[in-house]
Amino acid sequence: KHPNECSKEDYIDFYRKVFMDYKEPLFWIHLNMDYPFNLKGILYFPKINTEYDSIEGTIKLYNNQVFIADNIKEVIPEFLMVLKGVIDCPDLPLNVSRSALQNDGFVNKISEYISKKVADKLSGMCKTKREDYEKYWDNISPFIKFGCLKDEKFCDKMKDAVLFKNLDHKYLTLKDCIEANGGTVEDPNAKTEDNKADDQNTEKKEEDKTIIYYVTDEIQQSQYINMFKKQGMDAVILGHNIDSPFITQLEQRNQNIKFQRIDADVTAGAKEEVAEEEKEAFQKTSDSLVEIFRKELGDEKLDVKIEKLKDENIASMMTLSEENRRMQEMMKMYGMSGMDMGTTSTLILNANHPLVQYVVDHKGSENTSIICKQLYDLAMLAHKPLNPEEMTAFVKRSNEIMMLLTK
């Protein structure tokens, strides 16, 4: 049937009959062409709400309504395999080896056509039906990001249709994110040969890049989010496991941007400058705190940094550089997470907080040891979950602190 002859009910009934799926698809793309080859089909976008590696789609391939096979990756682009659909192409051979398909230029053209039609549909929807597109975004974003990683042409077509959800759950394009952070958007395709040569000879300086801040867990990183909001700053939410390789690709394609998680460092707006006449005394206090915490926590290599934070409610927090985090994620992906990476996180102490001042003034007391350990664990809890041994010690120590209040 021609797309104009089909109603919404027709598409949904067909979907349920073919795939035995009681859930309603988000939307679909109807392929219908006669030249330069004959191809008809429907690709359905199911609701995606699980981790990416557990998603399995089914695209059935037919020749004149004669079933050939499911998920022929030589004909269907790999990233489309998460979808459900049927494709009928009479020009495809009924019985041919996979190796022959791989070297068949005609088959490659079919694959490219399908990818192009999907990109055109999605980018068109982003422009003309933005409200509907935003409703679908959380479900279809893993599929789109996977497609961008796998297919450069698809990525080029989708670059303005990739959305980022900010802390207020408003959807922004990459261009919006860059401009919101005071940067300008570069067109990688508009570079002259001289520009390209400059890119090869010198990497863009880190301090010249526009930083786009992000969070991976709104609950776990709530302390940092509150600090950001108090500074009038924003961040985007990147909570899927495909986001890490995706933002790395975006940085490679856009040399003027850098993605950084909000707990990678303390931003300038969150801390006070130390007055010139106070610098010597502040350095002595800092040196003393570093010595005390390393001793009480039994870690001579502990990275400790003292700051005068504007938020008086924060006594301690933990930071981990973006480079270290990416390295850890890459090692985890390759099963190397057990390797010793050395000191990677930094304990930030707020010199303005009474508990930190107490530690300086009561060096060596019994309470100081408890406070140091508790401040460290509290900083870790706002950064990542404690392991079982650390959590057990934290709960026990919390009970001891409450017992002190009863004396």
Side-chain angles (χ1 to χ4, degrees):
K1 286 185 176 182
H2 191 275
N4 293 341
E5 301 172 33
C6 304
S7 66
K8 178 182 176 181
E9 289 71 27
D10 291 335
Y11 285 112
I12 293 172
D13 289 344
F14 182 71
Y15 176 77
R16 286 179 174 154
K17 182 178 179 181
V18 175
F19 301 105
M20 304 296 178
D21 189 348
Y22 68 92
K23 296 189 293 295
E24 193 171 303
L26 296 170
F27 59 95
W28 46 86
I29 297 173
H30 195 144
L31 307 169
N32 193 339
M33 73 175 298
D34 299 315
Y35 181 83
F37 45 80
N38 193 319
L39 184 143
K40 291 177 173 58
I42 306 170
L43 295 177
Y44 289 94
F45 285 70
K47 188 172 183 181
I48 298 171
N49 55 11
T50 56
E51 287 299 308
Y52 185 78
D53 52 13
S54 64
I55 295 169
E56 288 184 14
T58 305
I59 295 185
K60 298 177 178 295
L61 196 61
Y62 290 81
N63 179 317
N64 275 325
Q65 301 186 27
V66 175
F67 178 67
I68 299 175
D70 286 329
N71 298 343
I72 303 276
K73 66 179 181 180
E74 288 77 16
V75 180
I76 316 295
E78 184 184 357
F79 67 92
L80 293 180
M81 295 298 187
V82 300
L83 304 182
K84 294 183 178 182
V86 292
I87 288 175
D88 193 312
C89 186
D91 297 327
L92 274 177
L94 270 171
N95 186 16
V96 70
S97 66
R98 287 276 171 99
S99 58
L101 280 173
Q102 286 173 346
N103 300 313
D104 192 319
F106 173 71
V107 169
N108 291 335
K109 285 180 182 176
I110 293 176
S111 179
E112 287 179 10
Y113 166 78
I114 294 170
S115 175
K116 178 182 180 299
K117 291 298 288 183
V118 170
D120 289 345
K121 169 76 174 183
L122 292 169
S123 58
M125 193 186 300
C126 182
K127 289 174 186 172
T128 61
K129 297 181 179 178
R130 179 64 179 259
E131 196 173 323
D132 288 340
Y133 188 71
E134 289 182 359
K135 286 177 187 174
Y136 302 142
W137 177 253
D138 288 355
N139 288 297
I140 65 173
S141 64
F143 148 77
I144 291 175
K145 290 170 183 176
F146 185 51
C148 289
L149 289 168
K150 288 291 183 181
D151 187 330
E152 281 288 322
K153 289 181 180 177
F154 181 81
C155 192
D156 289 337
K157 284 185 169 292
M158 291 300 299
K159 67 179 188 296
D160 295 324
V162 172
L163 301 183
F164 297 86
K165 186 161 64 174
N166 72 359
L167 296 177
D168 294 324
H169 290 199
K170 179 185 174 185
Y171 291 93
L172 310 169
T173 62
L174 180 62
K175 182 181 177 182
D176 295 335
C177 293
I178 294 171
E179 291 175 348
N181 287 281
T184 55
V185 181
E186 289 182 2
D187 182 358
N189 298 318
K191 290 186 177 180
T192 64
E193 289 303 315
D194 290 339
N195 293 145
K196 290 176 182 176
D198 289 342
D199 281 349
Q200 289 173 355
N201 294 330
T202 54
E203 279 291 321
K204 187 126 181 170
K205 290 181 181 178
E206 289 295 310
E207 58 267 27
D208 294 336
K209 295 184 178 184
T210 301
I211 297 177
I212 299 174
Y213 293 98
Y214 70 95
V215 302
T216 54
D217 188 324
E218 290 178 271
I219 297 172
Q220 186 77 46
Q221 292 147 24
S222 59
Q223 181 189 52
Y224 303 90
I225 290 172
N226 290 335
M227 281 180 64
F228 256 59
K229 286 184 174 179
K230 283 183 179 179
Q231 296 170 63
M233 296 177 70
D234 200 3
V236 295
I237 302 164
L238 299 174
H240 203 281
N241 58 359
I242 202 169
D243 285 321
S244 184
F246 179 67
I247 60 175
T248 299
Q249 184 204 49
L250 282 179
E251 289 169 338
Q252 291 166 353
R253 289 172 62 91
N254 302 271
Q255 293 285 315
N256 61 326
I257 64 170
K258 178 187 177 184
F259 282 84
Q260 182 168 300
R261 208 168 86 171
I262 61 173
D263 57 354
D265 200 0
V266 180
T267 57
K271 55 191 178 184
E272 300 171 1
E273 286 292 327
V274 179
E276 194 63 41
E277 63 273 13
E278 296 175 6
K279 282 187 176 177
E280 189 177 340
F282 183 78
Q283 187 59 52
K284 285 183 180 178
T285 299
S286 297
D287 292 341
S288 178
L289 280 167
V290 171
E291 180 191 339
I292 294 168
F293 271 80
R294 283 178 175 174
K295 179 188 173 187
E296 297 299 343
L297 294 168
D299 184 356
E300 284 302 313
K301 294 181 179 179
L302 181 68
D303 193 2
V304 185
K305 194 174 180 182
I306 319 303
E307 300 282 7
K308 297 184 84 172
L309 300 180
K310 291 179 181 177
D311 192 333
E312 59 190 26
N313 297 314
I314 296 175
S316 60
M317 58 188 287
M318 200 69 70
T319 63
L320 175 64
S321 75
E322 188 66 24
E323 292 74 18
N324 271 318
R325 176 175 296 106
R326 302 263 185 109
M327 181 63 73
Q328 286 184 3
E329 287 173 353
M330 187 176 75
M331 292 177 73
K332 187 177 179 182
M333 188 169 64
Y334 289 105
M336 301 161 64
S337 54
M339 292 180 66
D340 183 19
M341 285 286 291
T343 302
T344 56
S345 54
T346 301
L347 175 65
I348 307 292
L349 297 172
N350 184 7
N352 290 333
H353 198 280
L355 282 173
V356 176
Q357 292 169 0
Y358 180 93
V359 169
V360 178
D361 298 336
H362 297 81
K363 184 177 179 180
S365 77
E366 185 182 347
N367 287 350
T368 297
S369 178
I370 293 175
I371 290 170
C372 287
K373 290 171 183 172
Q374 198 73 354
L375 286 179
Y376 181 83
D377 281 353
L378 287 168
M380 285 298 289
L381 273 171
H383 181 66
K384 65 175 186 178
L386 298 177
N387 67 37
E389 293 78 15
E390 291 166 342
M391 181 56 78
T392 300
F394 175 75
V395 172
K396 183 183 177 189
R397 195 184 315 112
S398 298
N399 285 327
E400 290 172 0
I401 291 169
M402 287 190 285
M403 285 300 294
L404 290 173
L405 296 173
T406 65
K407 291 180 181 177

